[in-house]
Amino acid sequence: MPKLSLPNILTLEELSLNQITAILDLANKLKVERKRGITRNSLAGKTLVLLFQKASTRTRVSFEVAMAELGGFSIFLNSSDIQLSRGETIADTARTLSLFSHALAVRVYDHKDIEGLSKYASIPVINALSNDYHPCQALSDIQTIREKKGNFKKLKMAWVGDGDNVCNSLLIASGKVGINMMVASPKKYRPSSFALKVAKDAARSSGAVIEVTDDPLEAVNGADIIITDSFVSMGSEAEAKERLQTFIPKYQVTAKLFSKAKKDAIFMHCLPAKRGQEVEAKVIDGARSVVWEEAENKLHTHKALLQLYLTKSL
Ligand code: CP
Ligand code: NVA
């Protein structure tokens, strides 16, 4: 079995194209096995700690089910449950959790908190969303794209809306695997310069074209994939009014905007979605929406990640 040396995953920058491909291939294999009723017990005796500062439906449940289906165990902690909330340091929290468990999946507000945990933990740390990055989401999104479109080459993906955490990690993923990605967002809500730099650097090898515009029409023109996310992410609630005024109506994925993409274009959204804000109901609930496959794929990519990280083999 191939042995892989795997880094912590904070942004997705850390993973090579080969490692990303190994995760996607294993996710696909596990998906097929699950549909056939084949079970594995490969993570018996292994424990995943999920340490979450923010709400989660899909990421939390898919990680917990992933551990259960692979024969392992998971412990879910709200940050308010543990001594971190009473002033214990990130460093001591990381050292302590490393004594009892085999991997940490962490959802935080401040990305620096996950950098701190990653620095002091002696077990793998996986970002389950920070204000700035959502690498696990990007992995399941590109798995979904590969399933729906066959491969990554010559695809155009249009991101319309907030250049947020999901967008940042998806840019990095696209640069690495070779998806052409154009982000249409207002100037104030563009993706991070770090994500754009990593994506463009990776694109030199993959051939991807990574672009940013403020014009949604330019982005969706000829696109194979239209993707968006909430206009008000967790932690941005205080800016809700200003954000909605900036994004609506120009950056809404309406049926009219969607019709400017290719005839076989798919619609994606990491969920949770606000129908009537970032997307019109008839798009997200329409025939070309793949949001439920996208959500399901979180289970398969998380299983693959955990299998690889906790057994260091495919
Ligand atoms: N897409 C996603 O991360 O969803 P949750 O916030 O429900 O985990
Ligand atoms: N950008 C969203 C993603 C939710 C999965 C948020 O951070 O709230």
Side-chain angles (χ1 to χ4, degrees), residues 63-289:
F63 264 119
E64 293 207 44
V65 172
M67 280 307 280
E69 290 192 2
L70 293 172
F73 188 70
S74 59
I75 298 174
F76 180 82
L77 302 170
N78 269 310
S79 52
S80 57
D81 292 335
I82 60 171
Q83 299 288 6
L84 191 62
S85 64
R86 295 182 57 255
E88 188 168 21
T89 63
I90 287 272
D92 287 357
T93 303
R95 289 178 182 122
T96 305
L97 295 175
S98 300
L99 301 173
F100 304 131
S101 60
H102 302 92
L104 289 177
V106 189
R107 177 166 283 202
V108 297
Y109 288 91
D110 190 342
H111 190 73
K112 286 199 175 63
D113 284 351
I114 194 164
E115 290 173 344
L117 284 162
S118 166
K119 182 170 172 195
Y120 293 103
S122 54
I123 55 176
V125 175
I126 296 170
N127 182 358
L129 183 146
S130 68
N131 283 354
D132 300 328
Y133 295 96
H134 197 358
C136 297
Q137 186 65 47
L139 288 172
S140 25
D141 287 354
I142 59 174
Q143 189 201 350
T144 309
I145 291 168
R146 198 173 73 164
E147 276 175 5
K148 294 288 166 191
K149 297 290 176 188
N151 62 55
F152 298 125
K153 297 294 168 198
K154 301 202 167 83
L155 291 179
K156 179 182 180 186
M157 173 154 56
W159 178 282
V160 181
D162 190 9
D164 63 7
N165 43 9
V166 176
C167 179
N168 285 333
S169 287
L170 197 56
L171 274 166
I172 295 174
S174 296
K176 287 186 188 245
V177 303
I179 300 170
N180 302 319
M181 182 164 169
M182 188 181 282
V183 178
S185 60
K187 288 201 170 54
K188 189 169 172 190
Y189 299 107
R190 289 198 160 173
S192 82
S193 48
F194 176 79
L196 283 168
K197 182 182 181 317
V198 174
K200 286 181 181 173
D201 285 351
R204 279 196 218 111
S205 308
S206 71
V209 179
I210 304 292
E211 295 167 292
V212 180
T213 175
D214 58 8
D215 181 1
L217 274 172
E218 187 189 356
V220 302
N221 182 30
D224 302 276
I225 303 140
I226 312 294
I227 183 162
T228 187
D229 190 8
S230 168
F231 291 152
V232 185
S233 282
M234 292 179 279
S236 306
E237 290 80 1
E239 303 165 11
K241 193 169 168 216
E242 185 196 335
R243 284 175 161 268
L244 295 180
Q245 278 170 355
T246 307
F247 287 111
I248 297 173
K250 184 172 173 183
Y251 294 92
Q252 291 179 301
V253 181
T254 57
K256 190 173 170 208
L257 185 72
F258 193 56
S259 73
K260 310 289 180 203
K262 281 193 182 154
K263 289 282 161 269
D264 62 350
I266 55 173
F267 174 77
M268 297 180 69
H269 190 310
C270 65
L271 306 177
K274 283 265 172 72
R275 289 167 178 77
Q277 288 193 9
E278 71 271 13
V279 60
E280 223 170 37
K282 57 180 152 178
V283 175
I284 191 168
D285 298 323
R288 286 194 274 140
S289 168

Side-chain angles (χ1 to χ4, degrees), residues 12-73:
L12 206 60
E13 185 235 349
E14 304 84 2
L15 294 182
S16 67
L17 176 60
N18 283 343
Q19 288 167 330
I20 291 175
T21 305
I23 292 164
L24 299 190
D25 289 348
L26 181 57
N28 191 48
K29 190 173 169 190
L30 292 167
K31 185 171 184 173
V32 172
E33 283 182 9
R34 189 174 192 261
K35 288 198 191 319
R36 291 185 183 152
I38 300 168
T39 53
R40 292 187 181 210
N41 205 30
S42 48
L43 299 189
K46 306 280 188 190
T47 299
L48 171 73
V49 167
L50 294 136
L51 173 54
F52 277 41
Q53 292 179 347
K54 297 180 176 182
S56 170
T57 302
R58 283 146 287 268
T59 307
R60 173 189 175 169
V61 177
S62 57
F63 264 119
E64 293 207 44
V65 172
M67 280 307 280
E69 290 192 2
L70 293 172
F73 188 70

